[in-house]
Amino acid sequence: MFVKVCGLSTPESLSEAVDAGADAVGFVLTASPREVSPEQVRILLPLVPAGVHAVGVFRHESAADAVAKAQAAGLEWVQLHGHRTAEDVKTVHDAGMRLIRAVTMGASEDEFADLGEELFLVDAAVPGSGESWDYGSVRAKGLDGREWLLAGGLEAGNVAFAATAAGAWGVDVSSGVESSRGVKDLARIREFVEAAKA
């Protein structure tokens, strides 16, 4: 199971995620309680070992703006939320970067098509709510054979059930490993990664 821990902002939380076995770590470079600056990311990046993907997360920014900000942060991966096009994917790839394209369960059917992104992410209909939802409903979206991440309302206690119900290739967590909004809990990070990997 591929595991991404998102919204990291301190050396302690980043090191805990990596030490626990996370495959990817996310830095929020858009307006959010978890937002960090490109300068902060550059300070944290030396703590990310080879083989672990460091991802810049964006919401409403254009693909070009996201790429520029991610490059300023020293990142090679971009995660784009919202309605995106094949041209957006091309913009990321033309910059020599890799893409996680994120949609919500409320997105239109055509947004679930494969646009050539490296990884696909399916979030709850209301992203960031931290509430669990009908994970099994993702199976109707026809994602078999694709490398995709399940997100939304996940925590150590439900990640195994949710990933199995959805048929997910990987999982992404943020609020489910926090003690309060935007504040990561080191024990919860480790528990989540271990539960997902198990």
Side-chain angles (χ1 to χ4, degrees):
M1 177 68 57
F2 184 98
V3 180
K4 175 172 169 280
V5 180
C6 200
L8 299 169
S9 61
T10 67
E12 295 78 14
S13 60
L14 177 56
S15 294
E16 192 70 20
V18 168
D19 290 346
D23 301 285
V25 291
F27 302 104
V28 178
L29 290 163
T30 190
S32 161
R34 305 173 182 93
E35 183 179 6
V36 290
S37 68
E39 292 74 25
Q40 285 174 284
V41 174
R42 280 196 172 275
I43 292 169
L44 294 170
L45 271 184
L47 299 174
V48 182
V52 175
H53 305 318
V55 183
V57 179
F58 300 89
R59 186 169 289 120
H60 304 299
E61 295 82 358
S62 69
D65 287 347
V67 162
K69 199 167 186 180
Q71 287 176 328
L75 299 169
E76 296 178 1
W77 280 80
V78 170
Q79 180 171 314
L80 296 178
H81 288 255
H83 180 70
R84 302 293 175 169
T85 65
E87 190 60 33
D88 292 328
V89 177
K90 183 176 185 299
T91 296
V92 174
H93 287 163
D94 284 352
M97 304 183 81
R98 290 182 275 184
L99 174 66
I100 300 174
R101 185 169 64 87
V103 303
T104 67
M105 274 301 289
S108 61
E109 288 302 316
D110 64 320
E111 291 186 64
F112 284 83
D114 188 342
L115 299 184
E117 60 276 340
E118 279 70 25
L119 292 174
F120 189 61
L121 185 149
V122 180
D123 205 344
V126 183
S129 67
E131 296 177 6
S132 58
W133 47 288
D134 179 10
Y135 299 109
S137 62
V138 186
R139 287 189 179 269
K141 300 298 184 181
L143 299 177
D144 292 348
R146 288 171 68 181
E147 294 185 349
W148 68 277
L149 311 179
L150 179 70
L154 299 178
E155 39 86 22
N158 72 357
V159 63
F161 164 80
T164 301
W169 177 83
V171 291
D172 186 12
V173 69
S174 186
S175 60
V177 292
E178 292 179 343
S179 55
S180 60
R181 192 161 174 78
V183 180
K184 292 292 185 276
D185 181 298
L186 302 187
R188 290 182 188 181
I189 290 174
R190 182 164 293 275
E191 287 165 5
F192 181 88
V193 176
E194 290 177 351
K197 291 289 185 180

